[in-house]
Amino acid sequence: MGQSEKSTHRERHFTASDTIRDIVIGMSDGLTVPFALAAGLSGTVSSTNIVVVAGLAEIAAGSIAMGLGGYLAARTDREHYENELERERREILEVPEREKEEVAEVLRGWGLQEANVESAVKEISSDQNRWVAFMMKHELGLEEPEPKRARNSSLTIGLSYIVGGLIPLIPYMLIHRATAALLVSIVATLIALFIFGYVKGKFTGSRPFKSAVQTTLVGGVAAGIAFLVAKIIS
Amino acid sequence: MGQSEKSTHRERHFTASDTIRDIVIGMSDGLTVPFALAAGLSGTVSSTNIVVVAGLAEIAAGSIAMGLGGYLAARTDREHYENELERERREILEVPEREKEEVAEVLRGWGLQEANVESAVKEISSDQNRWVAFMMKHELGLEEPEPKRARNSSLTIGLSYIVGGLIPLIPYMLIHRATAALLVSIVATLIALFIFGYVKGKFTGSRPFKSAVQTTLVGGVAAGIAFLVAKIIS
């Protein structure tokens, strides 16, 4: 790793703000689906009891699907990377000429002239680790996954989903009449979605205000459709 | 685009099987959360009516969150890519020497010797499009997002989430007693999760049997915890 100034730069940037980004992503996702489910159910029941039970069951299910599912997927990615690394290591020992030709192909694709290609291939392949890293990145398009980051990220996203999901549910816990709880939940959640969309925009590099509007829109549309679906079929 | 043999190859591979992969991903996600929610609720009610309403509201909410959310995120990525492309185009005209030095940095990182670096930089920067493509990929680590793919992918995943979510719900629609419906739903959904996990493994390059076990495990654990949470609080 750290082959170039820029990739070291990106890695550093990663660890700094990624926990915050995971929190915001988990939270704004958690705000959306439990919010929409609770809104949908509240149109069909008079007491909020069943809304709270369904909401908490959804939060449990969603956080595990996101957290455990994400963790297992990351572990699979890691294994896939390591298998491919193993294979590349074997290939540069067993069929070095073919592998050198593959490096040359990549370089030609960037516009290098033939004389230059030959010496560049020689230089890249003079260090086995660098050669394998080059093949992994440019032949297979694989970046090394960070092992700890996957676990931490899944845990953070899962927990944030729980916290985010509780925001639309708390009004239903405190207010017994479903219609009143729904109104408070809508106001509280749309505000929260807007704030988290804004912060998400800041941390994912898109325009914060636009991200805020989009996040609020997705949550609002999801809740509206869920409300209609529940109304129609019940 | 199509700078190297391999990147063209990967693009072709993409369009061939990606629709199937999207279907499988949306479906196995749709199987997990509505299944877990329905299982959770069925422990607290005697009639299946409310389970069906909650399940369908969840499917509506989840498919919109996944589909619309994914579509807007892809559009934001596209805009981000185009803004960066615009900026790189400006930079190679305004500060060509600094941009050439950045290309040189990347090449040095791969182990190219100084003499070679100089001529390689000259060759890469002789074609403006290639130069910009090189900077986008190696300085910023950005690949060009396919515009149509984002929209189609979001639509496919959203619709597959609906189809997947209906599998655990159908038993609750046909059987009125919650405990009986729960049993049929568990058997049907675990079988479906196993099959879709297997197919998902085939299409994402991991071992199919392992993927089948993991997908079934995530669904089963999510349903179990949702069941416990609903039992405890109701």
Side-chain angles (χ1 to χ4, degrees):
Chain A
M1 283 287 99
Q3 305 110 287
S4 77
E5 186 55 38
K6 281 292 159 183
S7 84
T8 348
H9 167 75
R10 248 188 295 145
E11 272 175 64
R12 215 180 313 126
H13 170 81
F14 234 55
T15 38
S17 66
D18 260 28
T19 306
I20 300 169
R21 209 198 53 176
D22 286 344
I23 290 173
V24 171
I25 287 172
M27 233 181 228
S28 56
D29 266 24
L31 282 164
T32 304
V33 182
F35 166 53
L37 173 67
L41 280 178
S42 68
T44 68
V45 294
S46 55
S47 159
T48 51
N49 191 37
I50 193 73
V51 178
V52 174
V53 174
L56 290 178
E58 207 287 336
I59 291 173
S63 61
I64 288 164
M66 262 185 118
L68 183 57
Y71 171 71
L72 292 175
R75 228 182 47 177
T76 303
D77 279 354
R78 175 97 210 152
E79 280 168 19
H80 177 61
Y81 181 85
E82 270 158 13
N83 290 340
E84 292 293 332
L85 193 68
E86 200 51 50
R87 211 182 62 181
E88 283 299 335
R89 279 196 200 290
R90 236 179 13 243
E91 283 181 359
I92 65 166
L93 294 175
E94 287 170 5
V95 282
E97 288 317 311
R98 206 185 66 193
E99 294 299 297
K100 276 180 191 165
E101 184 48 33
E102 287 178 355
V103 173
E105 290 270 302
V106 174
L107 296 174
R108 272 182 217 120
W110 297 335
L112 261 65
Q113 300 301 308
E114 214 46 55
N116 234 330
V117 165
E118 207 177 310
S119 49
V121 168
K122 203 175 286 170
E123 287 160 5
I124 289 170
S125 60
S126 68
D127 178 315
Q128 285 201 358
N129 286 331
R130 205 159 51 200
W131 188 5
V132 168
F134 187 94
M135 300 299 290
M136 291 299 284
K137 191 164 175 187
H138 302 293
E139 191 206 2
L140 301 172
L142 291 174
E143 301 271 1
E144 184 177 6
E146 287 179 59
K148 272 192 197 149
R149 170 137 174 71
R151 195 197 54 200
N152 294 346
S153 172
S154 300
L155 203 66
T156 310
I157 291 179
L159 288 175
S160 308
Y161 188 92
I162 295 173
V163 176
L166 288 175
I167 294 175
L169 278 193
I170 287 169
Y172 295 95
M173 294 174 185
L174 302 177
I175 302 166
H176 246 322
R177 217 157 46 83
T179 45
L182 172 63
L183 273 180
V184 178
S185 176
I186 288 174
V187 173
T189 310
L190 291 183
I191 292 171
L193 280 167
F194 194 88
I195 294 169
F196 283 109
Y198 192 92
V199 179
K200 186 161 90 178
K202 280 248 178 223
F203 281 94
T204 54
S206 59
R207 273 170 290 158
F209 185 76
K210 196 179 160 193
S211 166
V213 171
Q214 287 190 345
T215 308
T216 313
L217 186 79
V218 172
V221 171
I225 304 278
F227 187 87
L228 285 179
V229 165
K231 257 294 194 245
I232 290 164
I233 55 159
S234 72
Chain B
M1 282 285 96
Q3 304 110 286
S4 78
E5 185 56 40
K6 282 291 158 182
S7 84
T8 349
H9 167 73
R10 246 189 295 145
E11 273 175 65
R12 214 180 315 124
H13 169 82
F14 235 52
T15 38
S17 67
D18 260 28
T19 306
I20 299 170
R21 209 198 52 178
D22 287 344
I23 291 173
V24 171
I25 285 172
M27 234 182 229
S28 57
D29 266 24
L31 282 165
T32 304
V33 183
F35 166 52
L37 173 67
L41 279 178
S42 68
T44 68
V45 294
S46 55
S47 159
T48 52
N49 191 36
I50 193 74
V51 178
V52 174
V53 174
L56 291 178
E58 206 288 335
I59 291 173
S63 62
I64 289 164
M66 262 185 118
L68 183 58
Y71 171 71
L72 292 174
R75 228 182 48 177
T76 302
D77 280 353
R78 176 98 210 151
E79 280 169 18
H80 177 61
Y81 181 85
E82 270 159 13
N83 289 340
E84 293 292 333
L85 191 69
E86 199 52 49
R87 211 183 59 180
E88 282 298 337
R89 279 197 200 291
R90 235 179 11 243
E91 283 182 357
I92 65 166
L93 294 175
E94 288 169 6
V95 283
E97 289 315 313
R98 205 185 67 194
E99 295 299 298
K100 278 180 190 164
E101 183 49 33
E102 288 177 355
V103 173
E105 290 271 301
V106 173
L107 297 174
R108 275 182 215 119
W110 296 336
L112 262 66
Q113 299 301 309
E114 214 45 54
N116 232 332
V117 166
E118 207 176 310
S119 49
V121 168
K122 203 175 283 170
E123 286 159 6
I124 290 170
S125 60
S126 69
D127 178 314
Q128 286 202 357
N129 286 332
R130 205 159 50 201
W131 188 6
V132 168
F134 187 93
M135 301 299 289
M136 292 298 285
K137 191 162 174 188
H138 302 292
E139 190 205 3
L140 302 171
L142 292 173
E143 301 271 1
E144 185 176 3
E146 285 179 60
K148 271 190 197 151
R149 172 140 171 69
R151 195 196 55 201
N152 294 346
S153 172
S154 301
L155 204 66
T156 310
I157 291 179
L159 288 175
S160 307
Y161 187 92
I162 295 174
V163 176
L166 288 175
I167 294 174
L169 279 193
I170 286 169
Y172 295 96
M173 294 174 185
L174 302 177
I175 304 166
H176 247 322
R177 217 157 45 84
T179 44
L182 172 63
L183 272 179
V184 178
S185 176
I186 287 174
V187 173
T189 310
L190 290 184
I191 292 170
L193 280 167
F194 194 88
I195 294 169
F196 284 109
Y198 192 92
V199 180
K200 186 161 89 176
K202 280 248 179 224
F203 280 94
T204 54
S206 57
R207 274 170 291 159
F209 185 75
K210 195 178 160 194
S211 165
V213 171
Q214 286 190 346
T215 307
T216 312
L217 185 78
V218 173
V221 171
I225 303 277
F227 187 87
L228 285 180
V229 165
K231 257 291 193 249
I232 289 164
I233 55 158
S234 72

